[in-house]
Amino acid sequence: MSTHTLVRVIVPGPFDEPFDYLVEGDRPPPGARVRVPFGRGHRVGVVLAWPETAAVDPARLRPITASLDREAILPPDLLALLTWSAGYYHYPLGEVLTALLPAPLRQGRSAVAEPTEHWRITAAGEAALAAGLRGQPARQRLLAAFADAPAGLDRTQLRGISPNYRQPLHALLARDWVEPVDPPTAATAAPITSPPELGAEQAAATQAIAAAADRFQPFLLQGITGSGKTEVYLGAIAACRARGRQALVLVPEIGLTPQLIQRFEARLGGSVAVLHSGLTDRDRLTAWRRAACSEAAVIVGTRSAVFAPLARPGLIIVDEEHDASLKQQDGYRYHARDLAVRRAQQLDIPVVLGSATPSLESLANVERAAYQRLRLDRRAGGATPPALELVDIRRRRLAEGLSAPLREAMQQHLEAGEQVLVFLNRRGWAPTLICDDCAHVANCQRCDARMTVHARDNRLRCHHCGAERAQPTVCPECGSTALVQLGAGTERVEAALQASFPDYPTVRIDRDSTRRRGTLDAGLERIRSGAARILLGTQMLAKGHDFPGVTLVGILDADRGLFGADFRAPEQLAQTILQVAGRAGRAERPGRVLIQSRHPEHPLLQSLIHAGYDAVAAQLLAERRSAGLPPASRMALVRAEAPAAAPPLELLRSAREHLGERRIRDLEFHGPAPAPMERLAGRYRAQLGLLAPRRAPLHRALHELRAWLASSRQARQVRWSIDVDPVEIL
Ligand code: ADP
Ligand code: ZN
Ligand code: ZN
């Protein structure tokens, strides 16, 4: 026994605890992968620790099969984050590991960066190309691409030219028409542009962040759209790089645009690695390795990039920190912003949360002095923020969603040679199809929801479960042909705009119009070039894109967020209005924002237009405090669903009873109750809210609850999940 030592290993899968194994010879360090026997097969796990004594009967210990890494591939801070978040989110440790490791690494592939392979055309290749490669279109295309790239091409670029580049590449190499070269270095890769001269507020913010370089300090960078937050990020990153440290930048799903990446690359050269969910396994692994070996000085990514390994971490930035897409909405329901703050704390480095419309959570943290606020209240380059106006649409006839004042304003701005943005967060032609004779409504058969009419292809679609069917011509209830399409979505408004403003081309941007690859970029380009004058779209327009030519914004329906079932709906409404409004205006001419509402006297809209976001946020925060809702308290949601309505509710009732018997002090229950939309995709959903003034009692309750659910017979018929700090409660 004396030649054996122990390792404690996290194994991917639904396991809360690590498993102990024996090692003969050199012990792989914590953070390294090992292949271990598991059940009747094998799995690739990660060493968590070197225990002195085993957690189970030593006679039952088995040896590891193989050691896969000499060195740790997960730095200690990631291991700590992994264990901490499994506990915080009450989610299995082994599943958190799965979420964190790129798939090729889970399969046992090498974690060591391969040298980047790069090839360029030779003189012989040029000659062959000039002569023409008859009957070899694939080689011809590849060789032509090489001729256009004097610095050479790598595998990623080749794959972009042709997914089947391998065979032709080998053929070209065999004929010496292309040759391997060293990859271009950061210095040669891209011309680096110099930063603008920072304004006083920008300079002060950048300095404050740089001055906190060696300690944990969260900053809330609150700056209106166009105030130059990105320049502050870039300045803080430059200071971080000058000290030889890496920066991690998280952006919401929709904010990771090619323009943003270009802006970072133009300033920082080839040292930027990009991580997002659309990457191939191979590209993700490459970016991951570049971060891990500190070849990448800056890692820009969406939510899951919060788990990027950093060899020399120096700064974490979370852009649009209020954005709901930073929270994972299924499975391992972590919040990337909150994990970013936790990670910065473990690493003792600064973290910057940026937004024009900060979350109430972050504002509450400013109030209790946990976060330091940095403000940018002026637009960069002297532009004036847009003026917000309400348009009362109660007694006005709307033509396809557009009021007369909005149409008139559009006409003026278009005639003045400017662009107009029309925002409606509802795609399709019409949200309702109703029978004029018997009032029958076309509903989804699997959800408690109406089917949306999509006129272009004449179909009804459910926006919740994706079900679809042909648009009926007669009422299925009474046989009448008097079917009426009620309300307007973007498709219908687009048709109306084209009819009313035939001289001004319209571009529609929503999930339907951009489904085909390249259509989004093409649409945005038509706006940027000025070819299109009216820009119509959903949420997809609200973030990440700049439209400097837009001077008028029309928000068609501001009311849906005012009376939502979700307690966060008003906060999200205020944020959305201001994010959309932020697209308007420029230096020479301030923008105008017209907000159509049937409730123009509503206090939220009133304070939004007269007093601004700070006033709205203060008001909403006070309401949350008096209602005992987050951020004034800690919340978790227990969700349950099943093919029948009763079992989820019964399970949650028993869960509540069980927790009630535990007499956890200060724990408060909301529900159980059916979810606001009870039936989704044929499953009935219920939820139980747990609230506590502090984290400890909530944590204890969730711990008890999980143990109970794991052993409850009732829970086997029902799919359940726990959502800590829920962002969407529908
Ligand atoms: P935000 O991220 O706060 O919306 P950006 O950083 O995108 O703002 O800046 C808005 C615009 O102003 C960009 O076009 C940017 O290049 C420009 N800008 C930012 N800071 C300055 C500055 N100090 N001087 C001149 N232009 C600036
Ligand atoms: Zn009918
Ligand atoms: Zn449905």
Side-chain angles (χ1 to χ4, degrees):
M1 248 345 261
S2 59
T3 59
H4 285 112
T5 49
L6 289 172
V7 281
R8 189 154 286 166
V9 177
I10 312 175
V11 175
F15 315 113
D16 287 327
E17 302 291 336
F19 298 89
D20 289 350
Y21 288 91
L22 297 170
V23 180
E24 207 166 338
D26 284 347
R27 240 192 314 197
R33 289 169 306 158
V34 285
R35 196 182 299 278
V36 294
F38 198 84
R40 279 198 250 151
H42 284 86
R43 295 198 189 196
V44 173
V46 169
V47 176
L48 176 64
W50 286 0
E52 286 298 316
T53 53
V56 294
D57 174 7
R60 290 176 46 206
L61 289 172
R62 297 201 271 174
I64 66 167
T65 314
S67 187
L68 298 178
D69 305 305
R70 275 169 197 283
E71 290 168 17
I73 62 158
L74 294 184
D77 82 288
L78 265 190
L79 279 183
L81 189 69
L82 193 161
T83 355
W84 181 84
S85 78
Y88 184 88
Y89 290 106
H90 293 267
Y91 202 67
L93 187 64
E95 301 286 14
V96 177
L97 178 68
T98 306
L100 187 148
L101 269 190
L105 294 182
R106 293 201 301 274
Q107 290 145 15
R109 289 260 305 274
S110 167
V112 181
E114 296 153 2
T116 329
E117 296 161 293
H118 228 86
W119 301 272
R120 79 174 164 211
I121 194 163
T122 61
E126 302 269 10
L129 185 65
L133 280 68
R134 224 167 309 136
Q136 303 282 0
R139 294 179 199 182
Q140 166 93 26
R141 190 141 60 97
L142 216 56
L143 199 55
F146 275 114
D148 287 340
L153 296 170
D154 63 18
R155 284 193 191 275
T156 310
Q157 291 162 320
L158 290 173
R159 205 174 305 120
I161 294 155
S162 156
N164 307 316
Y165 67 92
R166 278 165 210 271
Q167 273 211 338
L169 174 66
H170 286 143
L172 299 181
L173 277 165
R175 284 163 184 75
D176 285 330
W177 289 348
V178 299
E179 62 183 3
V181 279
D182 288 336
T185 60
T188 60
I192 303 208
T193 59
S194 51
E197 198 178 322
L198 295 183
E201 290 178 329
Q202 284 175 312
T206 310
Q207 272 155 23
I209 299 164
D214 274 321
R215 59 190 160 88
F216 170 60
Q217 172 64 56
F219 294 98
L220 176 65
L221 179 64
Q222 183 175 352
I224 57 172
T225 312
S227 60
K229 291 185 291 298
T230 313
E231 291 301 334
V232 173
Y233 302 154
L234 287 165
I237 291 169
C240 170
R241 273 185 90 186
R243 305 171 64 251
R245 305 282 208 95
Q246 294 168 289
L248 174 63
V249 183
L250 303 178
V251 300
E253 213 65 56
I254 217 162
L256 190 62
T257 58
Q259 292 92 299
L260 181 85
I261 297 168
Q262 274 164 19
R263 202 164 157 194
F264 272 76
E265 280 176 344
R267 196 66 63 71
L268 303 161
S271 52
V272 180
V274 181
L275 275 168
H276 60 84
S277 54
L279 293 178
T280 62
D281 279 351
R282 194 190 164 100
D283 290 345
R284 188 196 318 277
L285 183 57
T286 304
W288 203 87
R289 285 164 170 161
R290 292 183 64 215
C293 71
S294 79
E295 185 189 310
V298 184
I299 296 89
V300 188
T302 49
R303 189 169 64 218
S304 64
V306 72
F307 299 116
L310 301 172
R312 300 179 53 76
L315 174 66
I316 304 181
I317 292 169
V318 184
D319 191 27
E320 308 286 4
E321 64 87 31
H322 65 279
D323 196 277
S325 78
L326 289 166
K327 176 98 189 308
Q328 171 118 343
Q329 304 286 11
D330 54 16
Y332 170 34
R333 297 167 186 264
Y334 64 95
H335 201 307
R337 173 196 63 211
D338 298 346
L339 285 185
V341 173
R342 176 71 199 179
R343 195 168 176 196
Q345 185 181 29
Q346 287 172 345
L347 289 167
D348 238 354
I349 59 172
V351 55
V352 180
L353 312 182
S355 177
T357 53
S359 63
L360 298 186
E361 277 72 13
S362 294
L363 289 172
N365 278 320
V366 169
E367 274 186 22
R368 58 184 193 88
Y371 293 1
Q372 183 184 336
R373 174 153 55 184
L374 307 168
R375 298 195 72 129
L376 307 178
D377 290 327
R378 271 182 292 279
R379 278 192 162 186
T384 323
L388 307 186
E389 302 159 45
L390 287 167
V391 178
D392 185 348
I393 53 170
R394 266 172 305 192
R395 273 170 292 278
R396 290 182 194 277
R397 278 216 14 241
L398 294 185
E400 314 286 7
L402 300 167
S403 64
L406 178 56
R407 277 167 189 276
E408 282 153 26
M410 285 182 71
Q411 190 71 42
Q412 278 171 17
H413 283 251
L414 290 169
E415 275 169 13
E418 284 148 1
Q419 289 177 316
V420 176
L421 187 155
V422 177
F423 177 80
L424 176 61
N425 212 10
R426 187 195 291 135
R427 61 197 172 88
W429 180 266
T432 304
L433 183 69
I434 187 168
C435 170
D436 214 12
D437 286 327
C438 77
H440 170 83
V441 170
N443 284 322
C444 177
Q445 277 147 13
R446 307 167 69 217
C447 304
D448 293 327
R450 293 173 177 187
M451 298 294 273
T452 299
V453 182
H454 285 254
R456 183 184 292 257
D457 42 9
N458 214 6
R459 293 184 77 75
L460 300 179
R461 290 208 177 87
C462 173
H463 288 184
H464 302 282
C465 73
E468 56 178 284
R469 55 181 191 257
Q471 185 178 189
T473 47
V474 295
C475 173
E477 198 78 29
C478 74
S480 160
T481 54
L483 295 180
V484 182
Q485 298 160 331
L486 275 189
T490 46
E491 216 180 81
R492 191 171 204 166
V493 172
E494 179 186 32
L497 290 170
Q498 283 165 348
S500 312
F501 303 99
D503 300 335
Y504 302 104
T506 300
V507 170
R508 169 163 68 96
I509 306 265
D510 58 29
R511 267 207 289 146
D512 299 316
S513 74
T514 57
R515 216 164 288 249
R516 271 213 339 270
R517 249 186 101 139
T519 44
L520 174 61
D521 290 336
L524 295 172
E525 187 46 41
R526 286 187 61 212
I527 287 294
R528 238 169 253 123
S529 69
R533 302 289 300 286
I534 304 175
L535 175 53
L536 161 71
T538 56
Q539 196 69 17
M540 283 181 81
L541 288 181
K543 296 166 224 171
H545 304 288
D546 281 334
F547 305 111
V550 169
T551 53
L552 173 69
V553 168
I555 296 177
L556 296 196
D557 182 5
D559 294 338
R560 285 207 295 168
L562 290 177
F563 308 100
D566 192 328
F567 72 86
R568 291 187 204 274
E571 176 189 356
Q572 284 163 356
L573 173 68
Q575 289 164 346
T576 301
I577 290 179
L578 289 180
Q579 296 286 339
V580 179
R583 310 294 122 198
R586 54 192 152 139
E588 317 85 75
R589 200 172 154 176
R592 249 184 110 184
V593 181
L594 298 186
I595 305 167
Q596 298 192 153
S597 171
R598 288 198 164 76
H599 305 274
E601 75 295 336
H602 194 287
L604 181 124
L605 293 178
Q606 284 296 325
S607 50
L608 192 61
I609 66 159
H610 294 300
Y613 186 73
D614 285 327
V616 172
Q619 193 178 316
L620 292 175
L621 205 46
E623 285 172 10
R624 298 268 186 94
R625 288 203 172 107
S626 60
L629 288 168
S633 63
R634 296 305 194 114
M635 183 177 196
L637 211 56
V638 191
R639 293 192 174 83
E641 57 168 74
L649 278 170
E650 278 160 16
L651 175 71
L652 294 182
R653 264 183 221 119
S654 309
R656 179 181 166 155
E657 226 165 81
H658 173 79
L659 282 180
E661 283 162 13
R662 299 279 143 166
R663 302 191 187 289
I664 300 170
R665 260 188 55 194
D666 296 332
L667 183 68
E668 200 186 300
F669 298 97
H670 281 203
M677 192 176 95
E678 185 177 19
R679 205 164 46 103
L680 173 70
R683 298 178 70 86
Y684 289 82
R685 308 175 311 149
Q687 53 194 33
L688 169 65
L690 302 179
L691 280 156
R694 284 159 297 106
R695 199 187 139 213
L698 183 66
H699 192 69
R700 212 193 117 198
L702 293 172
H703 194 75
E704 295 272 353
L705 184 75
R706 269 194 84 203
W708 180 81
L709 285 166
S711 64
S712 151
R713 283 186 146 276
Q714 236 179 320
R716 278 178 225 162
Q717 329 297 325
V718 176
R719 198 186 293 161
W720 57 267
S721 63
I722 292 173
D723 190 353
V724 179
D725 305 327
V727 162
E728 269 175 20
I729 63 158
L730 306 179

